[in-house]
Amino acid sequence: MDHVVVVGAGLAGVRSIEALRAGGFTGRITLIGEEHHRPYDRPPLSKAVLLGETDSTVVDSDLDALDVRLCLGTAAKGLRDGVLETTEGELEYDGLVIATGATPIRLRGEGRQHVLRTIEDALTLRERLVPGARVAVVGAGWIGAEVATAAARAGCAVTVVEAGESPLAVALGPAVGSHTTDWYARAGVELRLGAMVGTVDADGLTLMSGARVPADVVVTGIGVRPAVDWLKGSAVRLDDGVVVDEHLRTSLPNVVAVGDCANWWSRRFHARLRVEHWDTALQAPDTAAATLLGEEAVYDPVPYFWSEQFGHMVQFAGHRDAGDRMVLRGDPRRDPKWSVCWLTADDRLAAVLTVDRPRDVVQGRKIVESGRRLDPLRVADAAVALRDCIMA
């Protein structure tokens, strides 16, 4: 290879470049970014940026030292073998990294709705979070909870509208998500469950039931879609993102995919995974770069992510769909710090969720990696360290 093009100037794109150079690639690298900013981190947008603690999350990487041609304000339009079509013309490549991420889903209606995906999104929304402002947040998932946290802290009157029967119902299931319901009330946030939005209007929301939620600010946090429409009609296979194997190879030679848009095969969990979190963007590029350079690298992580909401640090590691039953560690009704473990039929740890118990997630992630069996009775005892639950 003489020329590698990286499409997507986020963390996954930058890390891919760093991994290529670290792997000994000395050819040309071109980085294509649709935004006009230098690459930056996205997790702080709903945390530090929205809370007013910082205005910039630029990734600490010296692109000049990495000898990269940076093309900002340029979007991918199409792909054929060896040629990337962009809004600024065609680019020939020998190797291609697809790292175009995802785009937020929006609701119907003519009213203004904020989403939280770019630095402009975060800064614009922050200006609207003023004391007394009526803020309606649609979706009680990770982003919705973090936005509600920031809005409540700013002195806004916050209402969260969630279609499911509990917060985090999609991510964790309603049984676990219900344990976070009280957090909203304690923060002074009104939570409406089982409420579906019909339209976003100029003065708030109209629910499918006909009820109204008056609001000065509407924030939509109901999920994202992989940003892969530009690949339709190409030889790259698409199905909930870019379909890749365990080496992050696509169906097109010398083309790999990383980050939010990559749907990879996990040997560990015997399933396809597409994970929209920072840790994936950070770690996957090592495998993608090695694959482009002809090495036999396998990407098979234990997915990990975290969320800061209503004064709690919530962390998760693993793949809960691989579990057959849940085991609580601590009583969420009484204990401010608790965890949930998902065990397989043969008592192996599939996933762990922790609330203000960082030791559990650190130990749990290692146990998922090792595939060791656990003693379920000891797992249920929150006073016993997870590592001490491993069966001989």
Side-chain angles (χ1 to χ4, degrees):
M1 293 189 301
D2 175 63
H3 185 207
V4 173
V5 174
V6 179
V7 189
L11 177 63
V14 172
R15 282 287 295 114
S16 296
I17 293 168
E18 293 175 342
L20 283 165
R21 292 301 190 212
F25 180 68
T26 58
R28 294 177 297 139
I29 297 179
T30 300
L31 177 61
I32 304 294
E34 190 168 358
E35 295 183 57
H36 291 275
H37 301 282
R38 292 181 70 84
Y40 60 89
D41 271 334
R42 297 189 191 276
L45 299 183
S46 58
K47 303 175 179 71
V49 174
L50 212 54
L51 292 170
E53 297 169 358
T54 185
D55 292 337
S56 174
T57 65
V58 172
V59 173
D60 184 16
S61 184
D62 191 340
L63 296 179
D64 292 331
L66 291 168
D67 191 20
V68 177
R69 178 191 172 202
L70 184 58
C71 299
L72 298 177
T74 303
K77 292 174 54 181
L79 183 68
R80 59 184 192 273
D81 194 9
V83 178
L84 173 70
E85 301 169 12
T86 80
T87 51
E88 300 299 318
E90 295 186 344
L91 269 176
E92 295 185 354
Y93 67 84
D94 303 309
L96 183 73
V97 180
I98 300 172
T100 44
T103 56
I105 299 170
R106 294 177 180 269
L107 294 164
R108 294 182 303 167
E110 298 182 357
R112 182 178 185 183
Q113 54 184 299
H114 295 264
V115 294
L116 197 54
R117 186 68 184 178
T118 69
I119 186 69
E120 283 97 347
D121 292 338
L123 294 175
T124 300
L125 178 57
R126 189 175 74 185
E127 291 179 357
R128 303 291 306 278
L129 300 184
V130 297
R134 299 171 302 171
V135 178
V137 180
V138 185
W142 303 114
I143 291 295
E146 291 179 359
V147 170
T149 298
R153 191 177 299 182
C156 302
V158 186
T159 301
V160 176
V161 179
E162 166 59 42
E165 58 185 284
S166 79
L168 299 169
V170 174
L172 304 176
V176 176
S178 64
H179 294 309
T180 71
T181 300
D182 290 345
W183 298 356
Y184 290 77
R186 292 173 192 159
V189 174
E190 180 186 357
L191 176 63
R192 299 194 187 186
L193 298 173
M196 296 187 65
V197 174
T199 58
V200 178
D201 308 317
D203 57 351
L205 302 172
T206 298
L207 304 184
M208 295 293 285
S209 65
R212 296 274 302 142
V213 180
D216 306 306
V217 182
V218 173
V219 185
T220 302
I222 57 174
V224 297
R225 292 190 180 95
V228 296
D229 283 353
W230 63 279
L231 288 165
K232 290 179 179 178
S234 74
V236 172
R237 183 184 167 201
L238 302 176
D239 184 5
D240 185 29
V242 178
V243 176
V244 294
D245 62 13
E246 60 266 45
H247 311 289
L248 301 182
R249 288 183 300 223
T250 72
S251 52
L252 197 60
N254 296 324
V255 178
V256 295
V258 292
D260 292 0
C261 67
N263 181 345
W264 81 89
W265 175 255
S266 169
R267 292 181 179 179
R268 184 189 314 278
F269 297 111
H270 308 289
R272 287 209 158 272
L273 302 180
R274 190 178 64 79
V275 178
E276 302 160 358
H277 295 288
W278 182 84
D279 192 65
T280 302
L282 182 70
Q283 305 295 344
D286 287 333
T287 300
T291 297
L292 276 183
L293 295 174
E295 301 173 20
E296 190 71 12
V298 172
Y299 185 62
D300 197 13
V302 175
Y304 165 80
F305 61 90
W306 80 98
S307 175
E308 300 170 44
Q309 49 186 268
F310 305 113
H312 297 282
M313 171 59 81
V314 184
Q315 295 173 282
F316 181 93
H319 179 50
R320 75 177 184 90
D321 287 349
D324 289 277
R325 66 192 188 282
M326 295 186 310
V327 178
L328 271 172
R329 288 172 57 77
D331 185 348
R333 295 168 297 181
R334 298 196 314 260
D335 304 330
K337 303 178 180 181
W338 49 276
S339 301
V340 179
C341 291
W342 283 267
L343 300 180
T344 65
D346 59 353
D347 298 329
R348 302 181 199 278
L349 186 62
V352 57
L353 170 83
T354 68
V355 175
D356 299 321
R357 288 179 63 103
R359 187 173 300 176
D360 272 7
V361 80
V362 171
Q363 294 179 7
R365 192 177 188 185
K366 292 179 180 178
I367 293 170
V368 176
E369 288 177 345
S370 71
R372 302 283 297 277
R373 295 180 64 223
L374 300 180
D375 181 340
L377 294 179
R378 290 177 66 80
V379 170
D381 187 345
V384 179
L386 270 181
R387 65 188 176 197
D388 294 332
C389 299
I390 297 174
M391 297 178 67

